[in-house]
Amino acid sequence: MQPPDLDRHADPWTLAGSAPAPEAGPRARIELALHTALTAPSPGNCQPWRWFAGGEVIELYRDPARTCGASDPDGQAATLACGAALGALRVALRALGLDEQTALLPGGHPDLLARVAVGGRASPLPEEQWLYQAAPKRRTYRGVMAHGPLSRALSRRLGVMVDGTGAEYHVVEDMTRKQAIAAAVEAAIAGEPPARAAARAAGGEPGVSFEGPDGAEARGPAIADGAPAFVVVTTAGDDHAEWLRAGQALMRVLLRARVDHAWGSFLHLPLADAAGRKQLATLMGATGHAQALVRLGGGADSLPTPRRPLSDVLLAQRPN
Ligand SMILES: Cc1cc2nc3c(=O)[nH]c(=O)nc-3n(C[C@H](O)[C@H](O)[C@H](O)COP(=O)(O)O)c2cc1C
């Protein structure tokens, strides 16, 4: 339990998912929710977000100074990451007993991605509390995963997590389809424009985000072998609003997975451009556009990747 005055310089991992002090008012609860949002994943940990919180309104802005590297030419991955942070914020607000109404891309500023109006009391369901409490334990897990399918119960709950987000999700556990996805990942690596591949490698971003049993980056069939399941998040369209929806859905999936001791890691290279996003959805037999591809399965705990504190990302006033 933390004191009513939260330290904005604190490591977000130490406050995310924690219980509010009994006397904490809406402002302290909002800041707790913001600390939780900062634990969202982002490509290369670029954390491309800024926040403004005035009264009971929270605004999420993209940070134009923090792009997400060479493999994000149209900004889809950065926007998806902001969507994930928004998803974590909304989960936290509800778990902390605050109701909210969120508008995506409300206009008025080119970097404004979402406005969250907090108002009224929410009565969170136990599962919403679990998601919130899972936030400080979520990690991108790049090691060898335990074999075996996801439990049916978890698969069912992941579907429920995505309901109402405007995105859809697909779990792939069948080896033939996993191999087709692995082939798409390999093709994306092989087909990457050389200048982009060089810039990505120079930035330390791997093409594949996890290791095979030999400790080397998993490639080819090892991509399918190393993934107990793939989860693909799709949307009907392929624009900024859809990327924000997909990010929120993805965050809810990752948190719910962590509740059941399942971890995720990203394979984002095939989704770096619009054609790749369409192609992967078609491969899934889906009509829309794939926005996120993650490997899901049993992993192990590891130290958190550092985050910028709230003091670095909370704006004193709305940007001009
Ligand atoms: C859209 C997106 C794409 C990502 N792509 C990769 C990737 O290609 N390789 C990788 O190792 N991690 C990837 N990540 C994971 C980030 O590196 C990770 O979220 C970040 O380092 C913070 O670590 P954490 O998730 O454990 O908190 C991606 C994350 C997001 C949201």
Side-chain angles (χ1 to χ4, degrees):
M1 208 169 287
Q2 78 298 326
D5 281 338
L6 296 181
D7 179 2
R8 290 182 184 172
H9 300 280
D11 178 350
W13 291 109
T14 64
L15 289 173
S18 64
E23 66 274 28
R27 181 71 203 184
R29 286 167 197 261
I30 285 172
E31 292 209 6
L32 205 43
L34 283 166
H35 281 286
T36 306
L38 302 190
T39 65
S42 59
N45 204 23
C46 64
Q47 306 171 62
W49 44 67
R50 297 178 299 169
W51 303 86
F52 172 78
E56 295 190 355
V57 171
I58 307 166
E59 291 177 344
L60 167 61
Y61 293 84
R62 84 165 61 80
D63 186 342
R66 297 180 77 92
T67 55
C68 289
S71 43
D72 189 25
D74 61 8
Q76 183 266 0
T79 309
L80 189 87
C82 287
L86 178 65
L89 177 89
R90 296 178 70 187
V91 161
L93 288 171
R94 276 199 59 82
L96 291 163
L98 297 172
D99 215 352
E100 51 83 25
Q101 296 281 336
T102 294
L104 300 181
L105 302 172
H109 191 283
D111 295 331
L112 179 57
L113 296 176
R115 179 174 294 129
V116 181
V118 179
R121 287 201 60 79
S123 302
L125 300 168
E127 194 171 31
E128 293 177 306
Q129 303 275 14
W130 302 343
L131 296 183
Y132 174 61
Q133 288 161 12
K137 294 187 282 183
R138 186 210 57 80
R139 309 271 184 272
T140 297
Y141 178 74
R142 299 182 179 83
V144 175
M145 285 182 166
H147 277 281
L150 299 183
S151 76
R152 282 187 179 206
L154 174 57
S155 293
R156 230 185 355 259
R157 293 319 295 170
L158 294 183
V160 174
M161 290 300 106
V162 170
D163 276 353
T165 61
E168 289 186 14
Y169 99 115
H170 312 260
V171 177
V172 181
E173 294 180 286
D174 163 74
M175 190 40 105
T176 308
R177 298 190 84 191
K178 283 200 296 188
Q179 279 165 349
I181 290 179
V185 174
E186 268 303 319
I189 296 173
E192 210 181 5
R196 198 194 288 172
R200 177 174 57 71
E205 293 174 60
V208 175
S209 66
F210 64 89
E211 297 170 359
D214 57 359
E217 185 184 3
R219 294 290 298 269
I223 298 173
D225 291 342
F230 287 120
V231 167
V232 183
V233 176
T234 61
T235 51
D238 191 25
D239 55 22
H240 283 81
E242 296 284 50
W243 301 343
L244 289 167
R245 289 185 191 105
Q248 293 180 79
L250 173 68
M251 191 71 202
R252 293 173 65 84
V253 163
L254 293 174
L255 292 177
R256 187 60 185 81
R258 189 61 189 83
V259 169
D260 275 23
H261 311 289
W263 280 253
S265 71
F266 294 76
L267 294 135
H268 210 70
L269 213 53
L271 310 178
D273 56 32
R277 295 193 283 272
K278 182 73 209 157
Q279 217 169 1
L280 192 72
T282 306
L283 191 70
M284 305 296 310
T287 48
H289 307 258
Q291 304 296 353
L293 168 61
V294 296
R295 172 187 76 135
L296 216 58
D301 210 356
S302 59
L303 289 173
T305 306
R307 290 296 192 272
R308 297 193 288 164
L310 189 55
S311 53
D312 278 19
V313 297
L314 190 61
L315 300 164
Q317 52 195 27
R318 288 189 167 94
N320 292 321

